[in-house]
Amino acid sequence: MNATEIRVEVAPELHLFVPSARRAGATALGTDGVSTLGHVIESLGVPLTEVGALVVDGREVPVSHIPRAGESVRVRAVARPQRVPGAPLRFLLDVHLGTLARRLRLLGVDAAYESTDIGDPALAALSAAERRVMLSRDRGLLRRRELWAGAYIYSTQPEEQLQDVLGRFSPELHPWTRCTACNGLLRTATKEEVADQLKGGTERSYDVFAQCASCGRAYWKGAHHDQLEAVVERALSMRTQGSTQGG
């Protein structure tokens, strides 16, 4: 079958996914004449989770569009904040994003996390079953068709990862309401209810406690509270700045 040549320009935000030769404006690309534009874009290395509008000769087209010879395609990055169908907004993180999962939970964001590698098919199925946005640095996982929704995590640094997720999805924040260990909801607890988890010094020094309604883990403002408070304050400050700029 004769190749169908089109021209493709990839947004700068997506350049890390494509070969360096395709980062300098529109470049020629041969297609087979039957594959969808979505398939063509993925063949370049760009996960569709990161793609916003696909613009062909000035008009927006769906990923199912079949490119024709001579067409010019602009691949735009996903718009921010990204709106995901369905509610409430929930996430699923793979085995490599444990710190990010704990920080999202600290902020009250529903973030399921698999601490063992259950495999891409199982993660994708769980994303679909629970309608969770899959967060991962695994491009292969993000290409699985059964995903409910997904997002590539661009940084390897937890602080930057958190900023990226908050900026991209703008989830509602309810700090100190979720268990960082299991994602369950916290409730106020008495010292007597959590006494079996307290050491002598803690029992003498603290009177305010919370407990996870799911796993029973106890929480109090211990030695690491200031560090956690700093994470929360930075996230809330970022949200406030974003709202101000947006207004």
Side-chain angles (χ1 to χ4, degrees), residues 109-126:
V109 177
D110 189 341
Y113 164 67
E114 292 295 334
S115 60
T116 58
D117 189 356
I118 64 174
D120 290 0
L123 282 170
L126 185 58

Side-chain angles (χ1 to χ4, degrees), residues 80-196:
R80 295 185 177 220
Q82 182 179 353
R83 302 304 178 190
V84 179
L89 181 61
R90 302 188 294 183
F91 297 98
L92 171 63
L93 292 80
D94 70 17
V95 66
H96 303 292
L97 298 176
T99 300
L100 176 60
R102 289 187 291 273
R103 292 192 177 193
L104 286 170
R105 292 169 177 176
L106 177 65
L107 297 172
V109 177
D110 189 341
Y113 164 67
E114 292 295 334
S115 60
T116 58
D117 189 356
I118 64 174
D120 290 0
L123 282 170
L126 185 58
S127 165
E130 299 187 2
R131 294 190 171 186
R132 292 181 178 273
V133 180
M134 184 78 239
L135 303 181
S136 178
R137 286 180 51 78
D138 182 342
R139 302 179 194 184
L141 171 57
L142 294 176
R143 289 181 63 173
R144 298 193 70 90
R145 292 288 181 262
E146 61 269 39
L147 281 179
W148 165 248
Y152 183 76
I153 299 300
Y154 290 78
S155 175
T156 59
Q157 302 302 312
E159 183 66 24
E160 294 176 354
Q161 291 174 345
L162 181 62
Q163 292 175 359
D164 185 28
V165 173
L166 296 184
R168 176 165 175 171
F169 293 99
S170 192
E172 292 186 9
L173 304 184
H174 303 284
W176 317 109
T177 60
R178 284 191 180 273
C179 176
T180 56
C182 82
N183 199 41
L185 294 173
L186 302 183
R187 63 173 184 82
T188 301
T190 64
K191 183 181 294 188
E192 291 71 23
E193 288 176 305
V194 299
D196 60 333

Side-chain angles (χ1 to χ4, degrees), residues 195-212:
D196 60 333
Q197 299 184 52
L198 306 180
K199 296 180 180 180
T202 300
E203 188 170 5
R204 290 191 299 271
S205 302
Y206 301 96
D207 295 303
V208 179
F209 298 91
Q211 187 173 33
C212 177

Side-chain angles (χ1 to χ4, degrees), residues 10 14 17-18 38 41-48 50-51 75 143:
V10 178
L14 304 177
F17 297 112
V18 299
I41 298 307
E42 283 190 324
S43 72
L44 293 177
V46 183
L48 292 183
E50 306 313 295
V51 174
V75 183
R143 289 181 63 173

Side-chain angles (χ1 to χ4, degrees), residues 21-72:
R22 295 201 177 277
R23 298 174 184 174
T27 58
L29 177 67
T31 71
D32 59 15
V34 295
S35 295
T36 66
L37 185 54
H39 179 80
V40 171
I41 298 307
E42 283 190 324
S43 72
L44 293 177
V46 183
L48 292 183
T49 59
E50 306 313 295
V51 174
L54 293 172
V55 181
V56 174
D57 293 338
R59 73 185 192 284
E60 190 170 334
V61 301
V63 293
S64 58
H65 173 78
I66 308 294
R68 292 188 290 271
E71 288 185 337
S72 293

